[in-house]
Amino acid sequence: METRLEDLLSSLGVQFEEHIDPLIISEIRCYGKIRYLPETMINIGAKKGQYIWSAGKSWMDFSRSELEAWLVDAPDGDHIIVVEGQNNVDIPHQCPDGVKVDLWGRDKLALLIGYSVLDGTHKKQESNARSTESEIIATEIEPSSIYSRISNGTLTCIKSLINPNDSLESLGISQVPCQPILLELCFWLVKGNLIGPENSTEEREWVILEDNFSDELTLVNELDNILQVPSVPILCVSSSNSNEKIRNNLNRLCDERRHESISTSELNSGKLLRWWRIDKKSIECSPKRVLMPSWAFISPIDGKKIINGLNGKILDFRGELKGID
């Protein structure tokens, strides 16, 4: 689960000056100018009068070019930029006159959270908020909830958990530069019935991810997406028989074996595995485009390749490359 910086600051009792319009510069968001802050934050370097910004938690490292782009339009004053998804944010930079900026990574956030708990500065409301949030998250990971989120949403970009250096090191070419790209994949929204013992029926919804680059189909039970789609090229590969391929694999992906209690007497009971199989006649399925952060590189031996951000596989570069929508 991502750190919710705004909730964390609120739980610590941080207060911002009023009548300051929200700012967004180069996709870096300002929460405000500090009017009051607890001693916990002072101890790790924050000061009254500083602006607090968030660079979010992106799949790409916060770079010097992003920082320099922000510095061009940054207002005069003292600033903190929190980079939630990165440990090392020691980026050499030169500030213009009147501007000073500190970069906080995950190490500073860990200190802030740890000290706030040890010092007892976090509010009781945070505990209640976390309980509510946990309930929401538990609900969201149900397949039907993911189905609704994808069905009702716009363009989705999944977060990659792959480190491209690991894939390159497996080939012994860890120093080869990579270009960030997005692979266009497809969510299939499947709705239909499961038929169980004695012809009992259960309505269900599934989300199946079709990856034509790796030629794989997977059932999706969790979804961790990026709210803002990165502005990098998109690689697309066409598939003419996707619907047929999905239907041919429904039994493998959706059939279930369930433990069911059986009892022949008070002294003789147990559990039996019973099949619940998908009723293909009841199936409705529709595609939904999805993007996956990945990388392109040129192998000294094999030429142009891609690192699939879904599974880390190194694949041949194929398809059509186009700009972001």
Side-chain angles (χ1 to χ4, degrees):
M1 182 179 66
E2 293 187 11
T3 304
R4 292 183 59 85
L5 179 61
E6 193 168 13
D7 290 347
L8 175 60
L9 296 175
S10 176
S11 73
L12 291 168
V14 177
Q15 298 175 16
F16 296 103
E17 292 185 6
E18 299 178 357
H19 311 302
I20 295 180
D21 294 332
L23 294 172
I24 296 179
I25 299 176
S26 299
E27 300 182 3
I28 303 173
R29 176 190 173 193
C30 182
Y31 288 110
K33 188 175 182 180
I34 299 174
R35 179 168 62 88
Y36 170 81
L37 75 168
E39 187 176 351
T40 301
M41 289 188 65
I42 296 174
N43 290 340
I44 62 173
K47 298 182 290 244
K48 180 180 177 181
Q50 281 183 311
Y51 294 87
I52 294 188
W53 302 72
S54 173
K57 189 175 179 182
S58 172
W59 62 284
M60 293 187 292
D61 284 350
F62 184 71
S63 66
R64 182 174 179 176
S65 61
E66 290 176 283
L67 176 59
E68 290 176 344
W70 175 86
L71 286 168
V72 170
D73 296 313
D76 289 346
D78 202 346
H79 306 265
I80 295 172
I81 298 178
V82 180
V83 185
E84 298 181 49
Q86 195 170 330
N87 289 320
N88 181 15
V89 285
D90 184 15
I91 302 174
H93 62 276
Q94 185 172 356
C95 293
D97 292 341
V99 175
K100 182 181 178 182
V101 60
D102 290 329
L103 301 177
W104 286 15
R106 291 173 63 87
D107 52 348
K108 276 289 184 74
L109 279 179
L111 280 174
L112 183 58
I113 294 170
Y115 282 136
S116 70
V117 173
L118 290 173
D119 295 343
T121 56
H122 61 308
K123 297 180 179 178
K124 290 183 179 180
Q125 296 94 297
E126 183 185 17
S127 177
N128 296 333
R130 288 183 183 275
S131 297
T132 303
E133 188 175 17
S134 297
E135 292 172 3
I136 293 171
I137 291 170
T139 301
E140 285 183 346
I141 64 174
E142 293 297 325
S144 59
S145 179
I146 293 175
Y147 183 102
S148 300
R149 288 169 59 193
I150 296 172
S151 178
N152 298 329
T154 54
L155 177 62
T156 300
C157 186
I158 308 174
K159 185 175 297 180
S160 173
L161 301 178
I162 299 301
N163 183 343
N165 291 330
D166 293 341
S167 298
L168 292 175
E169 285 178 3
S170 68
L171 298 180
I173 52 173
S174 57
Q175 302 303 315
V176 171
C178 292
Q179 175 194 359
I181 61 172
L182 295 166
L183 300 185
E184 184 175 293
L185 310 181
C186 183
F187 278 137
W188 284 89
L189 304 175
V190 180
K191 183 182 295 187
N193 297 330
L194 281 179
I195 306 299
E198 287 76 49
N199 289 322
S200 52
T201 302
E202 181 178 291
E203 292 184 0
R204 289 287 300 272
E205 294 171 338
W206 300 269
V207 176
I208 297 173
L209 179 59
E210 180 186 21
D211 175 7
N212 284 323
F213 293 91
S214 299
D215 195 25
E216 293 178 351
L217 298 173
T218 53
L219 194 63
V220 178
N221 292 315
E222 296 184 47
L223 180 62
D224 197 1
N225 64 305
I226 300 172
L227 297 180
Q228 187 163 353
V229 180
S231 296
V232 297
I234 299 172
L235 186 62
C236 310
V237 61
S238 61
S239 177
S240 58
N241 61 342
S242 290
N243 193 297
E244 180 182 355
K245 181 168 62 175
I246 294 295
R247 291 180 178 275
N248 288 340
N249 283 273
L250 285 177
N251 289 111
R252 176 177 65 84
L253 294 167
C254 302
D255 286 357
E256 299 178 6
R257 292 188 76 185
R258 301 181 184 177
H259 285 281
E260 297 185 7
S261 299
I262 58 171
S263 178
T264 56
S265 68
E266 292 183 0
L267 300 177
N268 188 11
S269 63
K271 290 186 177 295
L272 181 67
L273 277 174
R274 307 286 292 273
W275 275 106
W276 286 72
R277 300 186 185 276
I278 196 164
D279 177 13
K280 292 187 178 181
K281 294 181 180 178
S282 68
I283 289 301
E284 299 176 8
C285 57
S286 58
K288 192 91 171 182
R289 181 184 178 218
V290 60
L291 301 175
M292 168 57 68
S294 300
W295 298 266
F297 70 97
I298 298 178
S299 166
I301 299 175
D302 300 317
K304 207 165 186 181
K305 296 282 188 178
I306 60 173
I307 301 172
N308 191 324
L310 183 64
N311 50 36
K313 291 183 178 180
I314 295 177
L315 307 169
D316 290 335
F317 189 100
R318 62 190 181 94
E320 177 188 359
L321 199 63
K322 61 182 182 181
I324 189 71
D325 292 340

